[in-house]
Amino acid sequence: MALYTGIILAGGYACLTPALAADPTGDWRVADGVANIRVAQCNGSMWGAVSWEKQPGGRDENNPDVSKQNRPTLGMATLIDMKKKPGVDQWEGQVYNAKDGQLYSATITPAGTDQLEIKGCVMGFLCGGETWTRVGPPIPLSPANAMAKGAPKPTGAAPKAQGTAPPQGTAPQGTTGATAPAPAPAPKTATTAKPGQKGAADPVGDICLLPEIAGLAH
């Protein structure tokens, strides 16, 4: 199975190019094109999960935990609890390497608006990384964040208005036994899914609601 995090560990990795006020959220194509990683902010941390696979049906077969070796790689967390570093547009946390089933220290750094640099390190010195390319727009803050913090839920629908009496001097309708034809239903309008919104074409949706992420982020 391909390495969905895109990191290839090697010595002598070049320094990352700093970026200014860029947004790391959205869908990103890994360098070898085998997957997209969706990055979103979940309760103050950046998280990433596989949102598309070039070859569907992948399994986490290299996970050292036997109970997880049959879990689908689609929707699997790859960037884990990445916190923003003070004073720079860079987040640090962990990355899950699906190729060997291991966790590594990692950073993500936006390079402009359409590239994301990811760097992973083993033992703090053997580092490697690559550049991902944006394929989806930035993702708004997840509604799950507000709900997790105890925000009030929307109330029920407002009560229906009562009918009004006919004007004086007007005979009530329906005295002849005939009923007025029901109005024709309004035509349905096409709706556009918001970035990160689950739907038929997007089986992953809001990654903050994925059990693997929600259980740790909230």
Side-chain angles (χ1 to χ4, degrees), residues 38-64:
R38 177 166 299 160
V39 180
Q41 181 176 339
C42 304
N43 270 26
S45 298
M46 290 296 170
W47 291 74
V50 180
S51 60
W52 172 85
E53 298 173 309
K54 187 175 182 179
Q55 295 182 345
R59 300 286 171 174
D60 190 18
E61 56 193 19
N62 295 313
N63 197 308

Side-chain angles (χ1 to χ4, degrees), residues 90-158:
Q90 188 176 83
W91 288 255
E92 60 182 351
Q94 290 184 307
V95 61
Y96 176 69
N97 185 339
K99 189 173 183 179
D100 60 11
Q102 300 299 317
L103 289 170
Y104 298 97
S105 299
T107 61
I108 55 173
T109 308
T113 58
D114 296 324
Q115 291 185 325
L116 187 68
E117 302 282 357
I118 177 169
K119 179 180 178 180
C121 297
V122 179
M123 304 296 292
F125 64 89
L126 184 60
C127 300
E130 69 178 35
T131 302
W132 296 351
T133 303
R134 182 181 291 281
V135 293
I139 297 175
L141 193 63
S142 169
N145 295 325
M147 292 180 66
K149 294 179 180 179
K153 296 183 179 180
T155 58

